[in-house]
Every structure is written in C-alpha cells, then in structure tokens.
Amino acid sequence: MEVFLTTSRLVLRRFTPQDADNLLELDSDPEVMKFINGGRPTRRSVIEATILPGYQLYDAGHGHWAAQEATTGTFIGWFALQPTSQPKEAELGYRLRRPHWGKGYATEGARALVHKGLETFTRITAQTMTVNKASRHVMEKAGLEFVRHFHHPWPDIIEGSEQGDVEYAITRPGVSDQPRTRP
C-alpha cells in the first residue's frame, strides 16, 4: 500500500486494481451520486475500463487517492487534487460512502489535502451544485472561500441544477489572488 497522506483518522493511499469493488459500491449508492448524475449507479465496466485506470494516474502532488479509516482500514471513499487549465491551480474533489457522512471525514481529508496541495499549487478550487449544502460546508471548513456562482452545462438534468453551481477557492498566503477568466 503506497500512502500519500495520513491524518489522525484517515489514510489516503494510491488506488489499486483491487479497489474496483470499493468504487462500484460507492458509485452504486443513489444518494452518493445524487449531485453527480442524478443518482444513477456507475456500471462496473465503466469503473474497470475508465474510472479506476484514471484514478491510478499520479503526478507530483496530484491525483485521486483512496481514503480509508486509519484504525480499521475500511474504505470510505476518495479525495482528489487535479490541475485545472490555470497555471499552478488545482481542483479539490471528494466522494464518501454514505455511512461515513456527518462524521467529519470529508472535512478532515479536504483540509489535509488543501494543506498539502498548497505546497505545490498556489491556488486550490472546488465546485459543486448550489443546492449541495453539505459539500459547500466541507469546502468552507477546509478553508476555501466562496468565489462565484455560475451555470455549468450539465449533460443530465439533475434536481437543483436550475439553481446553478458555486466555486470556492483558497490561495497560498503571499500570492496575489487575481480573478481568473474561465472558459
């Protein structure tokens, strides 16, 4: 097991081919997928052929990491830090299994990843649907601040998508946070 980062309760490690079942279980929960695609499960073939191979790509300081409880080794979800189209900027992402919601794991993992990410990147962003209050709360608790409201062209109609999306961000101290033009 190749560990990227640890916190008091979490281990963020590289994904392995053995994580296909973990991802299938995670992406099969309609509540987990509610703000991703309206609650539809991801097919095993997509996980094995596309998602898991993508999650196994890593570079200096960015990628997707499987998250597990430090004491039990139980898979609870994943965290990600991926470069954006802007120089020295990365986007934070996370997805947790429902039994682990409301226990502070998302905030703990996001804070740790933001802290680590600011060693490499000068700015870290995160986006979610406006109606996804739980995810917005995690972003705020991880130190990101509201930047803007916008409308993302979702391929699927998702309940609440008419209210648009939000972006949050944090900039490394000492770096000018100039507004950026997004495509």
Side-chain angles (χ1 to χ4, degrees):
M1 172 172 70
E2 192 170 336
V3 174
F4 174 70
L5 185 64
T6 60
T7 69
S8 62
R9 300 183 304 155
L10 296 173
V11 173
L12 301 187
R13 62 166 175 80
R14 286 186 176 226
F15 274 96
T16 68
Q18 291 72 36
D19 284 307
D21 288 338
N22 290 330
L23 290 172
L24 182 64
E25 180 184 351
L26 177 67
D27 284 9
S28 292
D29 185 328
E31 287 300 307
V32 170
M33 300 304 287
K34 179 178 180 179
F35 296 114
I36 307 299
N37 64 16
R40 290 187 319 280
T42 306
R43 294 186 323 271
R44 177 180 284 280
S45 62
V46 172
I47 288 172
E48 291 176 347
T50 306
I51 294 174
L52 186 54
Y55 286 5
Q56 291 178 284
L57 300 175
Y58 299 91
D59 203 349
H62 60 84
H64 281 77
W65 295 278
Q68 61 188 53
E69 288 180 321
T71 56
T72 66
T74 301
F75 175 83
I76 67 165
W78 57 258
F79 289 87
L81 202 56
Q82 294 290 71
T84 70
S85 61
Q86 300 294 323
K88 301 294 282 177
E89 180 180 276
E91 184 173 6
L92 172 71
Y94 41 85
R95 188 175 304 165
L96 301 182
R97 291 177 56 228
R98 195 167 9 150
H100 303 283
W101 291 0
K103 296 181 179 181
Y105 288 121
T107 299
E108 185 174 328
R111 277 184 183 154
L113 201 51
V114 165
H115 179 74
K116 179 81 171 167
L118 287 174
E119 294 173 4
T120 304
F121 300 98
T122 57
R123 187 169 191 261
I124 295 175
T125 66
Q127 298 178 356
T128 191
M129 290 177 63
T130 300
V131 295
N132 190 346
K133 292 180 180 169
S135 190
R136 292 178 70 172
H137 190 62
V138 168
M139 293 172 193
E140 292 166 356
K141 290 176 75 177
L144 283 73
E145 296 179 353
F146 176 80
V147 174
R148 68 185 177 123
H149 181 265
F150 65 101
H151 285 271
H152 181 76
W154 290 95
D156 301 310
I157 301 293
I158 299 173
E159 184 179 339
S161 61
E162 71 281 356
Q163 294 183 41
D165 302 276
V166 290
E167 178 181 1
Y168 285 73
I170 186 170
T171 301
R172 183 188 312 151
V175 176
S176 175
D177 189 16
Q178 297 298 319
R180 291 167 165 73
T181 304
R182 301 250 179 222

PDB file of all heavy atoms in Angstrom, residues 42-69:
ATOM      1  N   THR A  42     -22.931   3.771 -11.406  1.00  0.00           N
ATOM      2  CA  THR A  42     -21.928   3.627 -12.460  1.00  0.00           C
ATOM      3  C   THR A  42     -21.750   2.142 -12.735  1.00  0.00           C
ATOM      4  O   THR A  42     -21.617   1.343 -11.801  1.00  0.00           O
ATOM      5  CB  THR A  42     -20.588   4.241 -12.012  1.00  0.00           C
ATOM      6  OG1 THR A  42     -20.814   5.594 -11.610  1.00  0.00           O
ATOM      7  CG2 THR A  42     -19.556   4.197 -13.119  1.00  0.00           C
ATOM      8  N   ARG A  43     -21.748   1.771 -13.999  1.00  0.00           N
ATOM      9  CA  ARG A  43     -21.584   0.363 -14.369  1.00  0.00           C
ATOM     10  C   ARG A  43     -20.170  -0.118 -14.061  1.00  0.00           C
ATOM     11  O   ARG A  43     -19.198   0.627 -14.196  1.00  0.00           O
ATOM     12  CB  ARG A  43     -21.876   0.169 -15.862  1.00  0.00           C
ATOM     13  CG  ARG A  43     -23.326   0.431 -16.232  1.00  0.00           C
ATOM     14  CD  ARG A  43     -23.653   0.092 -17.697  1.00  0.00           C
ATOM     15  NE  ARG A  43     -22.602   0.394 -18.655  1.00  0.00           N
ATOM     16  CZ  ARG A  43     -22.454   1.567 -19.284  1.00  0.00           C
ATOM     17  NH1 ARG A  43     -23.290   2.548 -19.030  1.00  0.00           N
ATOM     18  NH2 ARG A  43     -21.483   1.742 -20.157  1.00  0.00           N
ATOM     19  N   ARG A  44     -20.065  -1.382 -13.663  1.00  0.00           N
ATOM     20  CA  ARG A  44     -18.768  -1.989 -13.367  1.00  0.00           C
ATOM     21  C   ARG A  44     -17.815  -1.846 -14.551  1.00  0.00           C
ATOM     22  O   ARG A  44     -16.634  -1.540 -14.367  1.00  0.00           O
ATOM     23  CB  ARG A  44     -18.908  -3.462 -12.993  1.00  0.00           C
ATOM     24  CG  ARG A  44     -17.544  -4.137 -12.759  1.00  0.00           C
ATOM     25  CD  ARG A  44     -17.652  -5.594 -12.387  1.00  0.00           C
ATOM     26  NE  ARG A  44     -18.058  -5.769 -11.016  1.00  0.00           N
ATOM     27  CZ  ARG A  44     -17.249  -5.673  -9.957  1.00  0.00           C
ATOM     28  NH1 ARG A  44     -15.989  -5.381 -10.127  1.00  0.00           N
ATOM     29  NH2 ARG A  44     -17.713  -5.859  -8.745  1.00  0.00           N
ATOM     30  N   SER A  45     -18.320  -2.043 -15.773  1.00  0.00           N
ATOM     31  CA  SER A  45     -17.453  -1.957 -16.947  1.00  0.00           C
ATOM     32  C   SER A  45     -16.828  -0.570 -17.074  1.00  0.00           C
ATOM     33  O   SER A  45     -15.667  -0.438 -17.467  1.00  0.00           O
ATOM     34  CB  SER A  45     -18.229  -2.320 -18.219  1.00  0.00           C
ATOM     35  OG  SER A  45     -19.299  -1.412 -18.425  1.00  0.00           O
ATOM     36  N   VAL A  46     -17.569   0.477 -16.724  1.00  0.00           N
ATOM     37  CA  VAL A  46     -17.040   1.844 -16.775  1.00  0.00           C
ATOM     38  C   VAL A  46     -15.994   2.041 -15.684  1.00  0.00           C
ATOM     39  O   VAL A  46     -14.947   2.652 -15.911  1.00  0.00           O
ATOM     40  CB  VAL A  46     -18.179   2.874 -16.662  1.00  0.00           C
ATOM     41  CG1 VAL A  46     -17.647   4.290 -16.525  1.00  0.00           C
ATOM     42  CG2 VAL A  46     -19.128   2.751 -17.840  1.00  0.00           C
ATOM     43  N   ILE A  47     -16.268   1.524 -14.498  1.00  0.00           N
ATOM     44  CA  ILE A  47     -15.295   1.632 -13.403  1.00  0.00           C
ATOM     45  C   ILE A  47     -13.998   0.933 -13.787  1.00  0.00           C
ATOM     46  O   ILE A  47     -12.906   1.498 -13.636  1.00  0.00           O
ATOM     47  CB  ILE A  47     -15.882   1.061 -12.095  1.00  0.00           C
ATOM     48  CG1 ILE A  47     -16.944   2.029 -11.563  1.00  0.00           C
ATOM     49  CG2 ILE A  47     -14.782   0.818 -11.062  1.00  0.00           C
ATOM     50  CD1 ILE A  47     -17.746   1.531 -10.402  1.00  0.00           C
ATOM     51  N   GLU A  48     -14.102  -0.287 -14.289  1.00  0.00           N
ATOM     52  CA  GLU A  48     -12.900  -1.061 -14.604  1.00  0.00           C
ATOM     53  C   GLU A  48     -12.139  -0.528 -15.817  1.00  0.00           C
ATOM     54  O   GLU A  48     -10.911  -0.557 -15.841  1.00  0.00           O
ATOM     55  CB  GLU A  48     -13.267  -2.530 -14.814  1.00  0.00           C
ATOM     56  CG  GLU A  48     -13.704  -3.200 -13.527  1.00  0.00           C
ATOM     57  CD  GLU A  48     -14.177  -4.633 -13.721  1.00  0.00           C
ATOM     58  OE1 GLU A  48     -14.411  -5.048 -14.881  1.00  0.00           O
ATOM     59  OE2 GLU A  48     -14.316  -5.341 -12.702  1.00  0.00           O
ATOM     60  N   ALA A  49     -12.840  -0.042 -16.834  1.00  0.00           N
ATOM     61  CA  ALA A  49     -12.176   0.383 -18.066  1.00  0.00           C
ATOM     62  C   ALA A  49     -11.744   1.846 -18.063  1.00  0.00           C
ATOM     63  O   ALA A  49     -10.777   2.198 -18.731  1.00  0.00           O
ATOM     64  CB  ALA A  49     -13.103   0.138 -19.261  1.00  0.00           C
ATOM     65  N   THR A  50     -12.458   2.690 -17.323  1.00  0.00           N
ATOM     66  CA  THR A  50     -12.202   4.127 -17.407  1.00  0.00           C
ATOM     67  C   THR A  50     -11.853   4.761 -16.062  1.00  0.00           C
ATOM     68  O   THR A  50     -10.806   5.391 -15.925  1.00  0.00           O
ATOM     69  CB  THR A  50     -13.437   4.853 -17.998  1.00  0.00           C
ATOM     70  OG1 THR A  50     -13.778   4.232 -19.244  1.00  0.00           O
ATOM     71  CG2 THR A  50     -13.159   6.325 -18.207  1.00  0.00           C
ATOM     72  N   ILE A  51     -12.748   4.621 -15.093  1.00  0.00           N
ATOM     73  CA  ILE A  51     -12.585   5.348 -13.832  1.00  0.00           C
ATOM     74  C   ILE A  51     -11.359   4.878 -13.057  1.00  0.00           C
ATOM     75  O   ILE A  51     -10.484   5.693 -12.720  1.00  0.00           O
ATOM     76  CB  ILE A  51     -13.869   5.261 -12.978  1.00  0.00           C
ATOM     77  CG1 ILE A  51     -14.996   5.999 -13.699  1.00  0.00           C
ATOM     78  CG2 ILE A  51     -13.639   5.829 -11.584  1.00  0.00           C
ATOM     79  CD1 ILE A  51     -16.349   5.876 -13.057  1.00  0.00           C
ATOM     80  N   LEU A  52     -11.268   3.600 -12.751  1.00  0.00           N
ATOM     81  CA  LEU A  52     -10.149   3.116 -11.956  1.00  0.00           C
ATOM     82  C   LEU A  52      -8.802   3.358 -12.637  1.00  0.00           C
ATOM     83  O   LEU A  52      -7.873   3.855 -11.980  1.00  0.00           O
ATOM     84  CB  LEU A  52     -10.335   1.642 -11.590  1.00  0.00           C
ATOM     85  CG  LEU A  52      -9.295   1.053 -10.641  1.00  0.00           C
ATOM     86  CD1 LEU A  52      -9.170   1.869  -9.357  1.00  0.00           C
ATOM     87  CD2 LEU A  52      -9.650  -0.392 -10.315  1.00  0.00           C
ATOM     88  N   PRO A  53      -8.646   3.083 -13.932  1.00  0.00           N
ATOM     89  CA  PRO A  53      -7.359   3.410 -14.565  1.00  0.00           C
ATOM     90  C   PRO A  53      -7.017   4.902 -14.470  1.00  0.00           C
ATOM     91  O   PRO A  53      -5.858   5.268 -14.270  1.00  0.00           O
ATOM     92  CB  PRO A  53      -7.548   2.975 -16.020  1.00  0.00           C
ATOM     93  CG  PRO A  53      -8.574   1.895 -15.950  1.00  0.00           C
ATOM     94  CD  PRO A  53      -9.516   2.328 -14.852  1.00  0.00           C
ATOM     95  N   GLY A  54      -8.022   5.759 -14.583  1.00  0.00           N
ATOM     96  CA  GLY A  54      -7.787   7.194 -14.433  1.00  0.00           C
ATOM     97  C   GLY A  54      -7.366   7.556 -13.021  1.00  0.00           C
ATOM     98  O   GLY A  54      -6.510   8.423 -12.817  1.00  0.00           O
ATOM     99  N   TYR A  55      -7.964   6.900 -12.027  1.00  0.00           N
ATOM    100  CA  TYR A  55      -7.629   7.167 -10.634  1.00  0.00           C
ATOM    101  C   TYR A  55      -6.243   6.639 -10.269  1.00  0.00           C
ATOM    102  O   TYR A  55      -5.695   7.000  -9.243  1.00  0.00           O
ATOM    103  CB  TYR A  55      -8.666   6.541  -9.696  1.00  0.00           C
ATOM    104  CG  TYR A  55     -10.000   7.250  -9.646  1.00  0.00           C
ATOM    105  CD1 TYR A  55     -10.305   8.330 -10.475  1.00  0.00           C
ATOM    106  CD2 TYR A  55     -10.979   6.829  -8.770  1.00  0.00           C
ATOM    107  CE1 TYR A  55     -11.532   8.960 -10.425  1.00  0.00           C
ATOM    108  CE2 TYR A  55     -12.209   7.456  -8.709  1.00  0.00           C
ATOM    109  CZ  TYR A  55     -12.485   8.512  -9.534  1.00  0.00           C
ATOM    110  OH  TYR A  55     -13.706   9.140  -9.466  1.00  0.00           O
ATOM    111  N   GLN A  56      -5.685   5.783 -11.098  1.00  0.00           N
ATOM    112  CA  GLN A  56      -4.360   5.231 -10.828  1.00  0.00           C
ATOM    113  C   GLN A  56      -3.240   6.063 -11.454  1.00  0.00           C
ATOM    114  O   GLN A  56      -2.076   5.707 -11.338  1.00  0.00           O
ATOM    115  CB  GLN A  56      -4.288   3.781 -11.316  1.00  0.00           C
ATOM    116  CG  GLN A  56      -5.151   2.862 -10.461  1.00  0.00           C
ATOM    117  CD  GLN A  56      -5.125   1.440 -10.967  1.00  0.00           C
ATOM    118  OE1 GLN A  56      -5.762   1.106 -11.957  1.00  0.00           O
ATOM    119  NE2 GLN A  56      -4.366   0.606 -10.274  1.00  0.00           N
ATOM    120  N   LEU A  57      -3.586   7.176 -12.100  1.00  0.00           N
ATOM    121  CA  LEU A  57      -2.583   8.070 -12.670  1.00  0.00           C
ATOM    122  C   LEU A  57      -2.216   9.122 -11.626  1.00  0.00           C
ATOM    123  O   LEU A  57      -3.084   9.797 -11.087  1.00  0.00           O
ATOM    124  CB  LEU A  57      -3.121   8.756 -13.924  1.00  0.00           C
ATOM    125  CG  LEU A  57      -3.535   7.840 -15.071  1.00  0.00           C
ATOM    126  CD1 LEU A  57      -4.155   8.654 -16.194  1.00  0.00           C
ATOM    127  CD2 LEU A  57      -2.339   7.036 -15.564  1.00  0.00           C
ATOM    128  N   TYR A  58      -0.944   9.249 -11.352  1.00  0.00           N
ATOM    129  CA  TYR A  58      -0.472  10.193 -10.349  1.00  0.00           C
ATOM    130  C   TYR A  58       0.679  11.003 -10.917  1.00  0.00           C
ATOM    131  O   TYR A  58       1.397  10.556 -11.795  1.00  0.00           O
ATOM    132  CB  TYR A  58       0.022   9.475  -9.089  1.00  0.00           C
ATOM    133  CG  TYR A  58      -1.050   8.679  -8.421  1.00  0.00           C
ATOM    134  CD1 TYR A  58      -1.250   7.345  -8.736  1.00  0.00           C
ATOM    135  CD2 TYR A  58      -1.877   9.267  -7.476  1.00  0.00           C
ATOM    136  CE1 TYR A  58      -2.259   6.612  -8.129  1.00  0.00           C
ATOM    137  CE2 TYR A  58      -2.877   8.536  -6.868  1.00  0.00           C
ATOM    138  CZ  TYR A  58      -3.060   7.214  -7.193  1.00  0.00           C
ATOM    139  OH  TYR A  58      -4.053   6.497  -6.600  1.00  0.00           O
ATOM    140  N   ASP A  59       0.840  12.211 -10.393  1.00  0.00           N
ATOM    141  CA  ASP A  59       1.970  13.037 -10.727  1.00  0.00           C
ATOM    142  C   ASP A  59       2.365  13.750  -9.441  1.00  0.00           C
ATOM    143  O   ASP A  59       1.708  13.588  -8.413  1.00  0.00           O
ATOM    144  CB  ASP A  59       1.585  14.039 -11.828  1.00  0.00           C
ATOM    145  CG  ASP A  59       2.794  14.529 -12.611  1.00  0.00           C
ATOM    146  OD1 ASP A  59       3.933  14.273 -12.186  1.00  0.00           O
ATOM    147  OD2 ASP A  59       2.593  15.178 -13.641  1.00  0.00           O
ATOM    148  N   ALA A  60       3.362  14.557  -9.514  1.00  0.00           N
ATOM    149  CA  ALA A  60       3.862  15.238  -8.320  1.00  0.00           C
ATOM    150  C   ALA A  60       2.757  16.043  -7.645  1.00  0.00           C
ATOM    151  O   ALA A  60       2.386  17.100  -8.122  1.00  0.00           O
ATOM    152  CB  ALA A  60       5.027  16.138  -8.684  1.00  0.00           C
ATOM    153  N   GLY A  61       2.220  15.525  -6.565  1.00  0.00           N
ATOM    154  CA  GLY A  61       1.257  16.257  -5.760  1.00  0.00           C
ATOM    155  C   GLY A  61      -0.181  16.252  -6.218  1.00  0.00           C
ATOM    156  O   GLY A  61      -1.011  16.911  -5.619  1.00  0.00           O
ATOM    157  N   HIS A  62      -0.495  15.521  -7.283  1.00  0.00           N
ATOM    158  CA  HIS A  62      -1.903  15.494  -7.668  1.00  0.00           C
ATOM    159  C   HIS A  62      -2.308  14.118  -8.163  1.00  0.00           C
ATOM    160  O   HIS A  62      -1.493  13.314  -8.583  1.00  0.00           O
ATOM    161  CB  HIS A  62      -2.242  16.583  -8.689  1.00  0.00           C
ATOM    162  CG  HIS A  62      -1.479  16.508  -9.974  1.00  0.00           C
ATOM    163  ND1 HIS A  62      -1.859  15.706 -11.015  1.00  0.00           N
ATOM    164  CD2 HIS A  62      -0.375  17.152 -10.373  1.00  0.00           C
ATOM    165  CE1 HIS A  62      -1.015  15.860 -12.012  1.00  0.00           C
ATOM    166  NE2 HIS A  62      -0.096  16.733 -11.653  1.00  0.00           N
ATOM    167  N   GLY A  63      -3.623  13.864  -8.045  1.00  0.00           N
ATOM    168  CA  GLY A  63      -4.203  12.590  -8.431  1.00  0.00           C
ATOM    169  C   GLY A  63      -5.452  12.319  -7.619  1.00  0.00           C
ATOM    170  O   GLY A  63      -6.006  13.213  -6.990  1.00  0.00           O
ATOM    171  N   HIS A  64      -5.900  11.062  -7.643  1.00  0.00           N
ATOM    172  CA  HIS A  64      -7.014  10.580  -6.817  1.00  0.00           C
ATOM    173  C   HIS A  64      -6.442   9.594  -5.811  1.00  0.00           C
ATOM    174  O   HIS A  64      -5.601   8.762  -6.172  1.00  0.00           O
ATOM    175  CB  HIS A  64      -8.053   9.836  -7.674  1.00  0.00           C
ATOM    176  CG  HIS A  64      -8.959  10.733  -8.430  1.00  0.00           C
ATOM    177  ND1 HIS A  64      -8.585  11.400  -9.574  1.00  0.00           N
ATOM    178  CD2 HIS A  64     -10.255  11.070  -8.204  1.00  0.00           C
ATOM    179  CE1 HIS A  64      -9.604  12.099 -10.017  1.00  0.00           C
ATOM    180  NE2 HIS A  64     -10.628  11.920  -9.207  1.00  0.00           N
ATOM    181  N   TRP A  65      -6.919   9.650  -4.575  1.00  0.00           N
ATOM    182  CA  TRP A  65      -6.441   8.741  -3.544  1.00  0.00           C
ATOM    183  C   TRP A  65      -7.617   8.061  -2.858  1.00  0.00           C
ATOM    184  O   TRP A  65      -8.606   8.706  -2.517  1.00  0.00           O
ATOM    185  CB  TRP A  65      -5.611   9.493  -2.505  1.00  0.00           C
ATOM    186  CG  TRP A  65      -4.369  10.050  -3.118  1.00  0.00           C
ATOM    187  CD1 TRP A  65      -3.190   9.391  -3.344  1.00  0.00           C
ATOM    188  CD2 TRP A  65      -4.189  11.367  -3.624  1.00  0.00           C
ATOM    189  NE1 TRP A  65      -2.302  10.232  -3.960  1.00  0.00           N
ATOM    190  CE2 TRP A  65      -2.887  11.455  -4.150  1.00  0.00           C
ATOM    191  CE3 TRP A  65      -5.008  12.489  -3.706  1.00  0.00           C
ATOM    192  CZ2 TRP A  65      -2.378  12.598  -4.724  1.00  0.00           C
ATOM    193  CZ3 TRP A  65      -4.506  13.641  -4.288  1.00  0.00           C
ATOM    194  CH2 TRP A  65      -3.206  13.687  -4.780  1.00  0.00           C
ATOM    195  N   ALA A  66      -7.484   6.772  -2.667  1.00  0.00           N
ATOM    196  CA  ALA A  66      -8.473   6.022  -1.899  1.00  0.00           C
ATOM    197  C   ALA A  66      -8.340   6.444  -0.441  1.00  0.00           C
ATOM    198  O   ALA A  66      -7.224   6.577   0.073  1.00  0.00           O
ATOM    199  CB  ALA A  66      -8.217   4.522  -2.040  1.00  0.00           C
ATOM    200  N   ALA A  67      -9.465   6.661   0.214  1.00  0.00           N
ATOM    201  CA  ALA A  67      -9.470   7.061   1.618  1.00  0.00           C
ATOM    202  C   ALA A  67      -9.962   5.899   2.451  1.00  0.00           C
ATOM    203  O   ALA A  67     -10.983   5.280   2.140  1.00  0.00           O
ATOM    204  CB  ALA A  67     -10.373   8.275   1.819  1.00  0.00           C
ATOM    205  N   GLN A  68      -9.225   5.601   3.495  1.00  0.00           N
ATOM    206  CA  GLN A  68      -9.642   4.540   4.408  1.00  0.00           C
ATOM    207  C   GLN A  68      -9.435   4.992   5.839  1.00  0.00           C
ATOM    208  O   GLN A  68      -8.615   5.864   6.111  1.00  0.00           O
ATOM    209  CB  GLN A  68      -8.894   3.247   4.115  1.00  0.00           C
ATOM    210  CG  GLN A  68      -7.395   3.321   4.256  1.00  0.00           C
ATOM    211  CD  GLN A  68      -6.718   2.050   3.764  1.00  0.00           C
ATOM    212  OE1 GLN A  68      -6.943   1.598   2.653  1.00  0.00           O
ATOM    213  NE2 GLN A  68      -5.877   1.484   4.614  1.00  0.00           N
ATOM    214  N   GLU A  69     -10.234   4.390   6.725  1.00  0.00           N
ATOM    215  CA  GLU A  69     -10.075   4.682   8.138  1.00  0.00           C
ATOM    216  C   GLU A  69      -8.718   4.169   8.591  1.00  0.00           C
ATOM    217  O   GLU A  69      -8.326   3.049   8.240  1.00  0.00           O
ATOM    218  CB  GLU A  69     -11.172   4.006   8.958  1.00  0.00           C
ATOM    219  CG  GLU A  69     -12.527   4.643   8.787  1.00  0.00           C
ATOM    220  CD  GLU A  69     -13.602   3.962   9.613  1.00  0.00           C
ATOM    221  OE1 GLU A  69     -13.587   2.715   9.721  1.00  0.00           O
ATOM    222  OE2 GLU A  69     -14.457   4.670  10.137  1.00  0.00           O
TER     223      GLU A  69
END
